[in-house]
Amino acid sequence: MRYAMAIDTRKCVGCSDCVVACQTENNVPIGYCRDWVTETVDGSYPNVEIELRSERCNHCDNSPCVRCCPTGASHIVEGGVVLVTPHKCIGCGACIESCPYDARYSHPEGYVDKCTFCNHRITKGEKPACVAVCPTKCMYFGDLDDPNSEISNALKNRKHKVLAPEAGTNPHIFYLV
Amino acid sequence: MKTRRDFIKISAMGTVGAALSGTMLSMARGNASTADPNLAHDGFARLKRTPTYCEICFWMCAGWAYTDENGKIVKITGNENDPHCNGRLCPRGTGGVGMYSDSDRLKKPLIRVTDGDKQTFREASWEEALDLVAGKMKEIKEKYGPESFALFNHGSAGHHLGYLLQAYGSTNIVAPSYAQCRGPREVGFQATFGSGVGSPEPTDIRDTNCLVLIGSHLGENMHNSQVQEMSDAIDKGVTIITVDPRFSTVASKSKFWLPIKPATDLALLLAWINVIITEKLYDRDYVEKYTTGLDQLAKHVENMTPEWAYGITTIKPDLIRKSARAMAEAAPSVIIHPGRHVTWYGDDTQRSRAMAILNGLLGSWGRRGGFYFKESKSIPEHPHPPFPKPAWSWKETLNGKYPLAGLAVSNALIDASIPSPENTHQIKAWLVAGTNLPLTMPQKDTLLKAMQSIEFMAVVDTMPMEITGYADVILPECTYLERYDELRASPNREPFIALRMPAAEPVGDTKPAWWISKQLGERLGLGAYFDYEDFSEVIDWQLKQVGSSLEEMQKIGVKKFERKSGPLYLADGADYTFHTSSGKIEFYSTELAAAGFDPMPVYTPHPEPPESFYRLNYGRAPMHTFSRTANNPNLHDLKKENDVWINPKVAKLWGIKAGQYIWLKNQDGVISDFPVMVRVTERIRWDSVYMVHGFGHTDKKLSRAYGRGASDSDLITKVQIDPIMGGTGMRGNFVTFLTEDPQKEAKS
């Protein structure tokens, strides 16, 4: 089993519903976020292109954050989901520095926090909150090892890319372009 | 100069309540994470869900509000069976929890008092506040007649207070959503198809092959099911054609983007009509069977060629032809979207007419992938004594103007509140509910004058807003998450109803609008109109009439009914009578001709920005609704302020840098209250600027929103009124840039 997410940039409108749904689902304090939306603009008027991307932890196979964690708080669970155990975390911030996606933040209660792929939902067979709420249905989530899963089909049928491939982390958030 | 009604910032009051609510919230959150540290990952452990429908915008998506073991609302999700949202709320609906948890909420009734020469608010009991409002209502009725009491409203509270006002004897009930927003398209489509558009719009986007958006920025306006259907249509390979001077989000998803010169849309529409007719691309069977006036229309647009329009719109003739052919190729599965906020230039009914005509030529009205025939569930009215017949209504406040206005015109009622020899009927007092008029209405000076002229104003709201600062009495309403309201029975492909019920106890001393109305009614001797203890009795009675019950709806939230009005689309060749005077789709409008207006749309040039000025365009951000969400903690977190979009060439000319804060000054010398951040972007033309509406709050009690961004409404001092229905065209205002603090200049 290997969980992954694909996000269709052709459909995303950048509304940030994924951000607020994550906050209310996961009790993320106001002023912090586990996911966010970026916009890149190319060209000059009137020949312009924009790409909107919902970004978050890439749940990398080769995760620098897990490797550099001094306490084992950052770890990988079934399905390749990268998690942080709050009571083991000393808040040193090494993982924050090591992440090429800037996906982690310091929680005001003293530990490091980030996207969990909504592990508490996916282990019950539900979709992560961001995927479940997205009004454009631009996010696909599932098991890469299952060739018939929504995510496998999305990646089969569309051109896609990952962010910062040069970091060699083998990330698991894909962008359909 | 001293005025009778000074704007009072409520900050002096209610600070204890504010602090308390904040503590309670963090306690609830603290419990979830400190009991078991891993719960921080696992969300909330035990949640209870309650059905509701959203009040953050007018789409009214049905959902579930989740409460934790302390009875606090922690999250809201969409109802899977609701066609407005299909289980997916938009960011505002998801962030609705912030409306409930906002520590700045109004929590006690407030009464304006004069202390020496200073006006302030003091807290009052409901008893006292209601007695005062009812007393004033009696007094106004005796002195001037009940008709001189007007209600300005938006949203659910308006239904209850509107009911009260009708029982009291006034039908002067008005919402800015008509004359400052969607009114012109209702009149334009009504004149063409004999049917307005309504809400939600019956656009069959999910099955369309071609979606044409004229200045409509779907995706930035999160009209939920429409955005969802557009996304589905993108999956199916829809052709999107976007006409916008700005490279909107949806423009980036479009096959054709027409970067039009602002204020020239009507010329483009007429050129498209010209192409469709001269190249015989229209749906001949449909046009022959269902329409009238093709010959007159063909003659009318004869010379309105793409070459003619090029000189006006700056859109190349080839692009005009290609996009017209793309529409025709998709027809009848094509939607020239009516838009929503369409009060732009004062000829808006005529522009809407041109859009309606184009739909008629392409045969999209009543066709799959075009416009479906909507149906709503008819909910019987709870029995009540007949309303008294008012001696006059809002129609009399129009002073013979705007003959096709279908609903009350807010700007006309504001004018009627300022004593003038022209006014035959005078408004003397206001009830305001759910609409923040100072950040809604153009021409703030006129609004201020009206508020100074009236004898009394009571405001019902959940938040301290700019409007509450002008009230004599403030009645704090609880949020939609803490109250019963009317059943939602909006039209859709199939009739649906949705229930809103309280998910939590009202915060502070806040009350639902139904209760406020009943209390006022009883004080006014109108108790017979409020023959129930709790509004849930009314809903239960209504539900039983349609074969359901409150008990059932409390479990399911949303219920679907069978269609009764016939098929969703016109069957091929089926007879159909349109509700126009000819019974047909009217390209030549007999109704407009009879009222003395152009029977077919005519392009007229609009004022252009003077040198060093740029047209002020405004719009929406997907995470905010008007000015009402700017202070919502969750939504503020997503977007804290608006910025002003400036083309890089213009920025270079002015030496303005991205991220710099500047002030905007309009053609009448009005300067924005606050500086606004510059966004230098290739996404906008060099002749206009753009900002998201609803920011630049001046009420300090809005601890997050105060002073953040600039208010476009303040800069809209000039309007072009639509002579057909009274709408205020607001896009004829021009701004220039001040890089230094204008107040500093004044001091030196």
Side-chain angles (χ1 to χ4, degrees):
Chain A
M1 176 131 76
R2 185 47 169 111
Y3 287 123
M5 191 182 284
I7 299 165
D8 190 345
T9 59
R10 238 176 28 181
K11 294 203 288 183
C12 175
V13 295
C15 72
S16 306
D17 204 0
C18 43
V19 182
V20 67
C22 172
Q23 280 181 329
T24 56
E25 175 69 28
N26 294 299
N27 197 13
V28 176
I30 300 284
Y32 300 87
C33 58
R34 291 180 177 184
D35 56 351
W36 61 94
V37 177
T38 65
E39 176 193 304
T40 51
V41 181
D42 275 322
S44 59
Y45 196 97
N47 300 304
V48 197
E49 278 179 27
I50 54 179
E51 184 177 278
L52 294 157
R53 282 195 310 265
S54 171
E55 298 185 1
R56 60 188 47 60
C57 170
N58 276 258
H59 298 277
C60 308
D61 274 346
N62 180 21
S63 354
C65 53
V66 174
R67 277 186 281 120
C68 74
C69 178
T71 67
S74 280
H75 62 290
I76 300 179
V77 297
E78 203 201 339
V81 180
V82 177
L83 296 179
V84 182
T85 309
H87 69 267
K88 278 193 188 172
C89 176
I90 54 170
C92 71
C95 55
I96 297 177
E97 290 302 314
S98 77
C99 175
Y101 306 101
D102 199 16
R104 292 170 165 242
Y105 71 94
S106 233
H107 192 284
E109 288 180 25
Y111 57 90
V112 170
D113 192 39
K114 65 169 211 58
C115 163
T116 62
F117 267 168
C118 282
N119 202 43
H120 63 289
R121 291 172 60 101
I122 60 177
T123 47
K124 286 189 287 185
E126 295 171 10
K127 298 256 164 73
C130 56
V131 177
V133 81
C134 176
T136 68
K137 287 166 260 178
C138 77
M139 295 185 201
Y140 304 92
F141 181 83
D143 181 7
L144 277 184
D145 291 344
D146 174 0
N148 297 317
S149 68
E150 201 178 76
I151 178 94
S152 297
N153 283 324
L155 294 177
K156 230 179 288 170
N157 299 330
R158 289 279 299 279
K159 255 175 77 174
H160 55 265
K161 64 176 184 185
V162 295
L163 299 182
E166 67 283 358
T169 56
N170 195 7
H172 278 68
I173 305 285
F174 300 90
Y175 293 94
L176 308 177
V177 290
Chain B
M1 195 182 73
K2 194 159 155 35
T3 54
R4 191 185 75 78
R5 181 169 282 109
D6 291 336
F7 176 82
I8 304 174
K9 294 169 184 80
I10 308 172
S11 51
M13 301 291 157
T15 45
V16 175
L20 191 69
S21 163
T23 315
M24 282 174 356
L25 182 70
S26 62
M27 267 165 54
R29 287 173 180 262
N31 282 351
S33 53
T34 48
D36 172 358
N38 288 324
L39 272 182
H41 279 311
D42 293 353
F44 292 91
R46 286 179 306 280
L47 300 179
K48 179 183 158 242
R49 68 178 201 178
T50 307
T52 185
Y53 61 86
C54 190
E55 183 80 10
I56 311 282
C57 96
F58 42 75
W59 213 255
M60 301 188 283
C61 298
W64 301 102
Y66 288 80
T67 41
D68 67 9
E69 51 277 354
N70 300 319
K72 297 288 158 204
I73 298 163
V74 293
K75 71 170 180 178
I76 311 171
T77 64
N79 186 312
E80 310 69 26
N81 298 318
D82 182 36
H84 292 231
C85 75
N86 305 299
R88 294 162 184 264
L89 294 179
C90 86
R92 299 163 301 161
T94 309
V97 60
M99 184 176 181
Y100 162 77
S101 65
D102 194 330
S103 53
D104 293 340
R105 279 176 63 175
L106 294 168
K107 297 192 190 73
K108 285 286 286 178
L110 299 172
I111 293 176
R112 173 182 294 266
V113 287
T114 304
D115 181 11
D117 41 331
K118 201 171 158 260
Q119 294 182 4
T120 182
F121 286 117
R122 69 165 170 81
E123 288 187 357
S125 68
W126 273 100
E127 204 65 20
E128 186 190 5
L130 292 164
D131 283 347
L132 176 56
V133 176
K136 282 286 176 186
M137 289 181 80
K138 271 187 207 157
E139 184 190 321
I140 297 283
K141 189 177 190 168
E142 278 159 24
K143 270 160 65 181
Y144 311 106
E147 300 82 2
S148 59
F149 216 111
L151 167 66
F152 289 79
N153 80 101
H154 190 273
S156 299
H159 292 287
H160 302 291
L161 295 160
Y163 176 84
L164 168 72
L165 220 64
Q166 283 173 273
Y168 168 75
S170 173
T171 51
N172 283 318
I173 299 167
V174 66
S177 52
Y178 188 72
Q180 279 68 52
C181 197
R182 62 183 181 85
R185 71 161 202 203
E186 300 303 325
V187 179
F189 274 67
Q190 179 77 38
T192 313
F193 297 109
S195 166
V197 181
S199 180
E201 294 84 3
T203 44
D204 205 13
I205 298 176
R206 70 176 183 203
D207 284 327
T208 198
N209 292 326
C210 182
L211 176 62
V212 184
L213 300 168
I214 316 289
S216 168
H217 52 359
L218 205 50
E220 285 162 279
N221 54 358
M222 288 301 293
H223 300 164
N224 196 342
S225 42
Q226 286 195 3
V227 175
Q228 294 192 18
E229 292 195 14
M230 180 172 78
S231 197
D232 292 343
I234 289 173
D235 263 343
K236 289 191 243 169
V238 66
T239 296
I240 303 178
I241 300 172
T242 300
V243 179
D244 202 316
R246 187 178 62 98
F247 191 66
S248 59
T249 301
V250 68
S252 76
K253 303 181 187 308
S254 300
K255 184 168 179 194
F256 298 101
W257 171 44
L258 283 62
I260 195 163
K261 179 178 171 178
T264 66
D265 312 75
L266 188 46
L268 172 70
L269 288 160
L270 291 166
W272 270 344
I273 293 172
N274 171 291
V275 175
I276 301 286
I277 294 179
T278 54
E279 297 190 10
K280 298 205 178 345
L281 298 173
Y282 55 89
D283 186 330
R284 282 188 233 182
D285 294 342
Y286 183 95
V287 166
E288 191 178 325
K289 188 163 177 63
Y290 300 117
T291 76
T292 168
L294 179 67
D295 292 345
Q296 287 135 306
L297 180 66
K299 192 152 178 13
H300 178 66
V301 299
E302 201 171 34
N303 298 320
M304 298 173 186
T305 60
E307 285 70 19
W308 164 80
Y310 176 38
I312 298 167
T313 61
T314 74
I315 305 298
K316 294 221 158 64
D318 184 50
L319 184 52
I320 298 177
R321 288 201 169 86
K322 273 190 184 147
S323 48
R325 287 170 195 154
M327 290 176 217
E329 200 173 306
S333 177
V334 57
I335 299 164
I336 320 298
H337 196 290
R340 188 122 184 163
H341 175 81
V342 292
T343 45
W344 300 350
Y345 305 116
D347 57 356
D348 307 303
T349 300
Q350 292 290 10
R351 186 183 64 256
S352 299
R353 269 274 294 157
M355 290 156 73
I357 288 169
L358 206 47
N359 279 308
L361 284 168
L362 296 168
S364 68
W365 192 264
R367 306 290 279 280
R368 181 182 293 277
F371 293 80
Y372 58 80
F373 293 129
K374 62 191 174 183
E375 187 178 319
S376 58
K377 182 70 190 168
S378 164
I379 305 288
E381 232 180 300
H382 188 248
H384 62 79
F387 292 133
K389 203 177 148 32
W392 55 277
S393 76
W394 58 268
K395 291 212 164 135
E396 276 71 37
T397 65
L398 303 180
N399 294 334
K401 293 179 285 185
Y402 324 136
L404 269 61
L407 290 171
V409 176
S410 35
N411 33 303
L413 277 168
I414 288 171
D415 288 342
S417 304
I418 304 170
S420 138
E422 222 185 277
N423 288 345
T424 50
H425 299 79
Q426 194 70 39
I427 299 291
K428 291 289 187 184
W430 295 1
L431 199 52
V432 183
T435 178
N436 188 24
L437 295 174
L439 266 74
T440 303
M441 297 301 300
Q443 297 185 301
K444 198 170 174 182
D445 279 356
T446 309
L447 175 70
L448 293 176
K449 214 166 150 191
M451 291 194 294
Q452 295 302 339
S453 304
I454 52 176
E455 293 187 9
F456 181 73
M457 171 160 65
V459 176
V460 177
D461 214 316
T462 64
M463 291 293 295
M465 286 279 175
E466 284 68 19
I467 187 68
T468 52
Y470 295 98
D472 294 303
V473 181
I474 300 169
L475 303 174
E477 193 191 12
C478 57
T479 68
Y480 69 103
L481 295 162
E482 303 155 299
R483 67 187 193 224
Y484 277 106
D485 265 315
E486 293 205 321
L487 292 164
R488 189 203 73 192
S490 316
N492 275 287
R493 290 183 177 93
E494 285 148 326
F496 277 85
I497 58 168
L499 173 72
R500 173 186 289 163
M501 63 178 288
E505 285 298 314
V507 165
D509 199 4
T510 60
K511 298 284 184 187
W514 69 259
W515 182 88
I516 298 172
S517 304
K518 177 175 155 70
Q519 291 293 320
L520 289 172
E522 285 167 357
R523 283 166 172 77
L524 290 163
L526 303 169
Y529 290 89
F530 300 91
D531 187 19
Y532 45 83
E533 280 307 305
D534 192 284
F535 194 69
S536 59
E537 295 163 38
V538 175
I539 299 173
D540 192 38
W541 181 89
Q542 289 178 316
L543 285 168
K544 283 181 176 143
Q545 310 308 304
V546 298
S548 178
S549 67
L550 188 57
E551 197 189 349
E552 183 192 37
M553 288 300 288
Q554 285 176 339
K555 287 187 198 119
I556 57 178
V558 163
K559 190 176 169 80
K560 183 168 112 177
F561 294 85
E562 292 301 313
R563 271 182 77 90
K564 284 184 179 162
S565 64
L568 197 55
Y569 310 112
L570 277 170
D572 268 349
D575 288 334
Y576 191 84
T577 307
F578 291 84
H579 298 292
T580 54
S581 58
S582 60
K584 291 186 181 276
I585 298 169
E586 295 196 356
F587 295 151
Y588 178 99
S589 170
T590 48
E591 191 187 15
L592 285 170
F597 299 109
D598 290 328
M600 290 173 293
V602 176
Y603 169 74
T604 43
H606 296 298
E608 307 249 353
E611 201 189 326
S612 305
F613 279 79
Y614 306 87
R615 187 180 300 272
L616 174 64
N617 282 332
Y618 52 82
R620 304 278 297 276
M623 61 290 282
H624 284 291
T625 302
F626 318 141
S627 63
R628 67 165 62 165
T629 53
N631 202 66
N632 175 313
N634 296 81
L635 302 179
H636 171 84
D637 209 19
L638 298 179
K639 186 175 175 61
K640 296 178 171 56
E641 60 191 77
N642 57 358
D643 46 17
V644 57
W645 296 32
I646 300 177
N647 181 280
K649 290 189 174 72
V650 176
K652 196 176 165 199
L653 183 73
W654 283 79
I656 291 173
K657 300 270 181 296
Q660 183 179 346
Y661 279 82
I662 61 170
W663 285 258
L664 301 176
K665 182 167 100 171
N666 82 353
Q667 72 283 337
D668 295 327
V670 171
I671 299 171
S672 59
D673 282 324
F674 306 105
V676 59
M677 201 207 291
V678 172
R679 172 173 179 168
V680 177
T681 177
E682 293 287 359
R683 294 178 62 185
I684 189 153
R685 279 175 71 102
W686 39 86
D687 52 9
S688 44
V689 297
Y690 173 81
M691 54 203 279
V692 169
H693 168 75
F695 289 89
H697 281 275
T698 54
D699 192 332
K700 283 188 175 153
K701 190 67 178 84
L702 298 167
S703 61
R704 289 169 216 91
Y706 169 77
R708 293 293 198 119
S711 165
D712 56 311
S713 302
D714 278 1
L715 298 165
I716 300 172
T717 50
K718 191 176 274 175
V719 295
Q720 278 88 29
I721 307 255
D722 192 322
I724 301 173
M725 51 62 70
T728 51
M730 299 192 276
R731 294 198 172 162
N733 289 269
F734 311 108
V735 294
T736 191
F737 313 132
L738 303 178
T739 52
E740 297 287 327
D741 186 343
Q743 287 184 340
K744 208 189 280 173
E745 269 175 24
K747 279 174 206 155
S748 64

